[in-house]
Amino acid sequence: MKKVFLSVILISILNSLSSQPWQPAGEKIKTSWAEKIDPANPLPEYPRPQLVREQWQNLNGLWNYAFAKQGSGMPVEFDGSILVPYPIESSLSGVQKRVGENQELWYHRTFSVPSAWKNKNVILHFGAVDWQADVWVNDVKIGRHQGGYSPFSFDITPFLQKGEQTVTVRVWDPTDRGFQPRGKQVNDPNGIWYTPVTGIWQTVWIEPVEKAYINHLKTVPNIDGGNITVLPSLENAMPSDIVEVKVLENGAVVNTGKAAAGQEVLVPVPDAKLWSPESPFLYDMEVVVLREGKTVDKVKSYFGMRKISTARDENGVVRMQLNNKDYFQFGPLDQGWWPDGLYTAPTDEALLYDIKKTKDFGFNMIRKHVKVEPARWYYHCDREGVLVWQDMPNGDQSPQWQRWNYFNGQELKRSTESEQNFRQEWKEIMDLCYSNPSVVVWVPFNEAWGQFKTEEIVEWTKNYDSSRLINPASGGNHYNTGDILDMHNYPGPVMGLYDSKRVNVLGEYGGIGLVLQEHLWEEDRNWGYVQYKNSEEATNAYVELAEELQKLIPFGYSAAVYTQTTDVEVEVNGLMTYDRKIIKLDEARIRKVNREICGSLSK
């Protein structure tokens, strides 16, 4: 009776809180997309473009939240409403409060399962929750997920009841007081380190499935063999189940392949249209699970036929190749932060905007820097045609950093728990992007940030996904392993080391700073690696650095990354302001020199 009484009180409190209006919190700068958010239906787009089912229900919107002392248990009362999926420290959450390592953040909301889903299993999905999340449905704890960047889900069918359902989430995130991957988040933001992000920051949703269903697809193109392999991960499958994969081009079936459950499906794709930034052609795909000839589950997906590899050119320099041709990759360091949503773009249109502007600037690549994006971001990269280098977000501590020679010091020794967590989160991040043609390089470490067991982690990464290149440590510490040697230098390009056996890249350079009033996160702590007074000066400096880079390409550089896409908090070295309202440099001039660099290895 006590539990029932508390539930009645809780529902009363929730109904009261849910009627409270939402508005962005705080006085920080915001993007223009902040005004377009519908608090009744934020981020309404389907969240998983590579595994699509027709029926689903979005659980984004106003939830109730509470802070509680760590370990104190589920709160009886809640503090107010929060707009999910914007992190609680963000303006768009409507809260903009810090949590810290000594508190837990609790979420709660009610929802209803559509009557049309009767006799279906219901899956509860979280796009990402930073960092440790425990989930209850109808007061029954159903599971825990640890990892701030990857999706996770639970089959909640056994825990559903008649009428209204409740979901409760407890989150704990120690930020830089813990060992977990956290990227640029710190408790004391300054310089290149930014505001902490805690809790739900990607879409929450439910979908109906049959008893046996597909929960993941791994698709690998083979342009040399003229085929693709598809490995579906199935739940509750029987050995006699058959998986059928159809490849379609503009609605017409190209070919079909079949295999028993648990086996790879091989599908011929003759005379394939190849995917590239210049021609980002995508094939559609249908995957069906058959049991005794009847369809048990069906999903829609897509893929691109592309190959990333290395080869020596006529001068003996190891080059990156795209679709068996030398191809210079050039793009910005993209941190993926927003002044109003922090980790979460205010809208899907905003998420797409940065990618489209990257292409407008004349780049063909993005280095996603120590952050992971929602699945829709990689979908947009696939559609727009931009290559992606995906970093593993850094965590734990930083050992000694050596930039200009191969490392001869003592690597970081992680605890067993820290190491196991790193491997788990890195695997889940790779699973998220495994089938995206845009993703061509994995970057497990950056500048010795949390770098440990480098050779072992690189080998483990390569064994898990041999279809992509591995950049072991962007900027060092350097080991003779992986496919790439990556140098960092600010502001101008230099070649501090050269490796005759691997691809040589300039993983970071630039950092041209320009302060624009009315578009600043703070007024008095702004900085760039070099500062200029106006757009003309900054553009001239950009072009000069680009021309220096061009001179180094014949001597071995095969890719470069310019810092950076946008200003981020007190960093003012972006091509755009943090609010995305001003393009700071002359777009036509930087596009012209960027296109010359991108085409420098084309024949």
Side-chain angles (χ1 to χ4, degrees):
M1 288 297 295
K2 182 178 180 181
K3 183 176 179 181
V4 172
F5 179 68
L6 289 175
S7 295
V8 170
I9 293 176
L10 185 59
I11 290 172
S12 176
I13 294 170
L14 295 178
N15 288 339
S16 172
L17 291 172
S18 63
S19 64
Q20 296 177 3
W22 168 85
Q23 61 181 8
E27 301 299 325
K28 295 283 190 180
I29 57 173
K30 296 174 180 63
T31 67
S32 58
W33 296 284
E35 302 172 358
K36 300 179 180 180
I37 292 173
D38 176 5
N41 193 25
L43 294 176
E45 294 80 12
Y46 189 81
R48 191 186 56 195
Q50 284 207 315
L51 204 162
V52 178
R53 291 189 178 90
E54 293 181 358
Q55 293 183 307
W56 71 294
Q57 181 175 307
N58 199 332
L59 297 186
N60 291 344
L62 288 172
W63 292 44
N64 297 283
Y65 81 92
F67 295 118
K69 184 178 179 181
Q70 188 184 5
S72 62
M74 189 179 297
V76 176
E77 296 184 357
F78 283 78
D79 300 334
S81 59
I82 180 172
L83 189 61
V84 169
Y86 303 103
I88 195 164
E89 295 90 347
S90 74
S91 171
L92 296 182
S93 72
V95 181
Q96 202 174 53
K97 294 179 180 178
R98 297 281 189 89
V99 183
E101 76 274 17
N102 296 319
Q103 292 193 107
E104 297 168 343
L105 171 61
W106 288 79
Y107 294 84
H108 190 103
R109 70 157 287 166
T110 61
F111 66 96
S112 296
V113 177
S115 58
W117 297 6
K118 186 178 181 181
N119 299 323
K120 303 279 190 179
N121 282 23
V122 178
I123 311 299
L124 172 63
H125 296 276
F126 293 85
V129 181
D130 194 5
W131 171 65
Q132 185 187 86
D134 295 281
V135 181
W136 286 257
V137 170
N138 295 325
D139 299 325
V140 178
K141 185 176 178 181
I142 61 171
R144 165 177 287 186
H145 180 263
Q146 197 163 279
Y149 297 96
S150 54
F152 60 98
S153 60
F154 303 103
D155 186 341
I156 63 173
T157 312
F159 314 106
L160 298 176
Q161 59 189 16
K162 290 185 178 180
E164 201 166 50
Q165 319 294 326
T166 65
V167 57
T168 307
V169 182
R170 176 179 64 192
V171 179
W172 176 65
D173 180 17
T175 310
D176 57 350
R177 310 287 166 79
F179 59 72
Q180 83 285 359
R182 60 184 178 270
K184 292 290 193 79
Q185 303 176 57
V186 293
N187 285 293
D188 180 23
N190 64 90
I192 65 169
W193 308 103
Y194 315 140
T195 304
V197 169
T198 305
I200 299 170
W201 67 277
Q202 291 186 29
T203 292
V204 186
W205 53 294
I206 56 175
E207 69 171 339
V209 298
E210 300 294 339
K211 298 297 186 290
Y213 63 95
I214 302 164
N215 65 12
H216 190 251
L217 296 173
K218 283 186 177 179
T219 304
V220 179
N222 179 359
I223 71 168
D224 298 326
N227 59 60
I228 60 164
T229 55
V230 182
L231 180 61
S233 176
L234 307 177
E235 292 289 336
N236 305 318
M238 296 179 63
S240 58
D241 289 346
I242 300 295
V243 177
E244 179 182 77
V245 176
K246 289 183 180 179
V247 171
L248 301 98
E249 179 181 343
N250 300 322
V253 176
V254 174
N255 240 318
T256 302
K258 294 182 180 181
Q263 301 299 311
E264 287 185 341
V265 184
L266 182 67
V267 188
V269 187
D271 303 317
K273 295 181 179 178
L274 301 184
W275 184 97
S276 69
E278 292 71 32
S279 180
F281 183 84
L282 297 173
Y283 287 90
D284 293 319
M285 186 167 67
E286 292 180 358
V287 185
V288 177
V289 180
L290 299 169
R291 179 171 294 172
E292 297 179 353
K294 295 182 180 179
T295 297
V296 175
D297 191 24
K298 178 180 179 180
V299 298
K300 293 182 179 180
S301 187
Y302 70 88
F303 66 92
M305 292 294 288
R306 70 99 184 90
K307 176 184 177 183
I308 184 72
S309 58
T310 67
R312 292 191 184 277
D313 66 12
E314 61 274 13
N315 297 315
V317 177
V318 180
R319 299 293 189 184
M320 272 195 278
Q321 292 198 322
L322 180 66
N323 300 331
N324 295 323
K325 294 181 180 179
D326 293 351
Y327 192 89
F328 194 90
Q329 298 187 27
F330 186 37
L333 194 75
D334 188 324
Q335 315 234 34
W337 285 74
W338 302 84
D340 37 25
L342 299 180
Y343 256 22
T344 309
T347 66
D348 192 63
E349 180 185 359
L351 195 68
L352 174 60
Y353 178 81
D354 282 4
I355 299 167
K356 292 180 74 72
K357 289 312 301 180
T358 298
K359 291 292 296 271
D360 290 346
F361 291 143
F363 295 114
N364 59 20
M365 176 264 279
I366 291 170
R367 180 181 170 203
K368 180 52 63 176
H369 189 41
V370 296
K371 189 206 175 191
V372 181
E373 295 290 357
R376 289 194 64 84
W377 186 85
Y378 301 96
Y379 164 70
H380 290 318
C381 289
D382 293 341
R383 289 181 58 86
E384 296 299 318
V386 61
L387 303 169
V388 175
W389 295 10
Q390 180 60 57
D391 285 13
M392 171 63 173
N394 55 290
D396 216 310
Q397 306 300 313
S398 296
Q400 176 188 0
W401 181 32
Q402 293 180 204
R403 289 197 302 163
W404 303 110
N405 60 308
Y406 286 87
F407 190 61
N408 55 14
Q410 179 67 50
E411 282 198 289
L412 175 67
K413 292 185 177 180
R414 293 189 180 225
S415 68
T416 300
E417 185 181 12
S418 174
E419 180 176 336
Q420 289 176 345
N421 185 80
F422 177 96
R423 292 175 186 269
Q424 173 198 319
E425 292 203 43
W426 188 217
K427 177 184 176 297
E428 290 181 359
I429 290 165
M430 288 191 286
D431 285 341
L432 170 66
C433 308
Y434 201 99
S435 300
N436 290 100
S438 57
V439 178
V440 293
V441 175
W442 298 122
V443 188
F445 299 113
N446 177 79
E447 289 186 358
W449 298 353
Q451 187 175 348
F452 76 106
K453 293 186 178 180
T454 305
E455 294 170 307
E456 182 178 328
I457 293 298
V458 169
E459 182 180 3
W460 179 78
T461 302
K462 193 71 172 181
N463 287 338
Y464 192 70
D465 181 8
S466 60
S467 70
R468 291 180 171 89
L469 303 183
I470 313 299
N471 184 352
S474 185
N477 293 323
H478 303 298
Y479 286 82
N480 187 21
T481 186
D483 302 297
I484 295 170
L485 177 67
D486 183 323
M487 304 301 298
H488 290 182
N489 195 69
Y490 288 98
V494 298
M495 186 174 285
L497 284 176
Y498 175 78
D499 192 320
S500 63
K501 298 179 180 179
R502 293 183 290 170
V503 171
N504 294 266
V505 308
L506 181 64
E508 292 182 29
Y509 83 99
I512 293 170
L514 177 62
V515 172
L516 292 184
Q517 298 297 327
E518 310 301 325
H519 301 278
L520 299 175
W521 179 256
E522 294 183 14
E523 291 295 329
D524 57 355
R525 290 202 299 168
N526 300 292
W527 74 280
Y529 287 95
V530 285
Q531 292 274 20
Y532 292 91
K533 296 179 181 179
N534 55 54
S535 179
E536 183 179 6
E537 284 187 2
T539 302
N540 289 340
Y542 181 95
V543 173
E544 289 173 6
L545 295 185
E547 290 173 345
E548 290 180 29
L549 171 63
Q550 282 180 295
K551 296 175 183 177
L552 294 174
I553 295 173
F555 294 96
Y557 271 150
S558 294
V561 177
Y562 175 80
T563 300
Q564 60 183 326
T565 308
T566 72
D567 293 350
V568 185
E569 299 203 352
V570 300
E571 285 191 69
V572 292
N573 48 18
L575 297 171
M576 297 183 285
T577 55
Y578 196 19
D579 57 15
R580 277 72 165 176
K581 292 180 179 178
I582 302 293
I583 296 171
K584 297 164 67 177
L585 276 60
D586 185 326
E587 184 173 339
R589 289 184 65 194
I590 64 174
R591 175 181 173 81
K592 181 178 182 296
V593 72
N594 287 352
R595 294 313 303 155
E596 292 173 359
I597 291 172
C598 289
S600 59
L601 297 181
S602 301
K603 298 177 180 179

